Amino acid sequence: MSEFADPVPLSGQRVALEPLTHDHVEGLRAVVAEGDLHRTWYTRIPAPEEVEAEVERRLGLQAQGTMAPWAVRRLDTGAVCGATTFMNVRPQARKLEIGSTFYAPSAQRTGINTETKFLLLARAFEELRCIAVELRTHWHNHQSRTAIARLGAKQDGVLRNNDIWPDGSYRDTVVFSILESEWPAVRSDLTYRLTR
């Protein structure tokens, strides 16, 4: 397995990113049940009864070498509060995408996403020597688009009718990226924000 698909444990002041296992299923069921996250039409968040299959799917992609999946645990309460991944990993091109991320509503706007992304970006650029990291979201997911831009990612473009959603609607995918040359400034900004 490529180290790009190896979800090594990562830890900060607010969160611990743990390699995803079946032991996280119950915690993630509670996450998606909070606020009925799975009912948001422009995201692909599993319903509580679908969490086990989603964990299995992510672990299967890890075994194929195309994904590194983590569970996100709050350090203040010890509770699992979300999940994230390196996906579409391309070691030969030294590129990957951070995605398939979701958090409990109670974890949003707490600095947890900022620190999670900081830990993932530091691993991508400083350990895996990536030349670019992508982040993608649905055109209608304005909260996600704003959060990605706040990280310091730049919008590359919009892939129109890039996917067909389960309800039959078309997904326009907004593509953002951070380049290797931009990482020092992004790192400084995220470090500053995390210490405020």
Side-chain angles (χ1 to χ4, degrees):
M1 176 196 323
S2 159
E3 63 181 328
F4 276 56
D6 182 10
V8 299
L10 301 169
S11 190
Q13 298 297 310
R14 295 171 178 82
V15 298
L17 304 187
E18 302 172 354
L20 184 67
T21 71
H22 290 99
D23 293 339
H24 294 110
V25 168
E26 287 308 312
L28 291 173
R29 277 194 180 123
V31 166
V32 299
E34 184 184 320
D36 287 332
L37 282 181
H38 62 283
R39 296 192 190 284
T40 308
W41 74 271
Y42 50 75
T43 63
R44 284 192 175 157
I45 297 173
E49 64 275 9
E50 299 167 340
V51 167
E52 188 167 7
E54 176 61 13
V55 168
E56 193 62 41
R57 183 187 76 82
R58 292 180 186 213
L59 294 176
L61 290 171
Q62 180 189 355
Q64 294 172 27
T66 62
M67 178 179 278
W70 285 272
V72 181
R73 187 176 299 279
R74 296 180 71 130
L75 294 179
D76 57 353
T77 66
V80 170
C81 65
T84 192
T85 75
F86 282 167
M87 55 191 284
N88 301 321
V89 302
R90 298 189 309 153
Q92 69 285 1
R94 292 178 25 222
K95 292 176 128 178
L96 56 82
E97 178 185 342
I98 295 174
S100 290
T101 302
F102 60 87
Y103 301 103
S106 58
Q108 296 172 14
R109 296 182 180 86
T110 62
I112 284 173
N113 180 56
T114 302
E115 187 170 74
T116 296
K117 294 300 192 296
F118 175 83
L119 294 169
L120 294 173
L121 289 165
R123 171 146 173 81
F125 288 116
E126 297 171 15
E127 297 175 24
L128 301 177
R129 311 309 298 171
C130 286
I131 62 170
V133 172
E134 282 189 357
L135 300 103
R136 297 179 175 217
T137 192
H138 196 294
W139 173 264
H140 287 281
N141 194 341
H142 299 288
Q143 181 179 338
S144 178
R145 289 169 58 188
T146 300
I148 291 169
R150 255 197 334 263
L151 292 171
K154 293 185 173 70
Q155 184 174 317
D156 295 320
V158 180
L159 305 176
R160 310 278 312 273
N161 285 358
N162 183 239
D163 200 359
I164 300 176
W165 233 230
D167 67 359
S169 65
Y170 300 129
R171 171 181 162 153
D172 289 348
T173 301
V174 187
V175 182
F176 294 82
S177 67
I178 299 171
L179 304 181
E180 179 183 33
S181 59
E182 297 167 339
W183 171 238
V186 170
R187 184 185 221 294
S188 294
D189 184 58
L190 293 177
T191 300
Y192 172 74
R193 287 172 50 201
L194 287 167
T195 57
R196 291 178 62 200

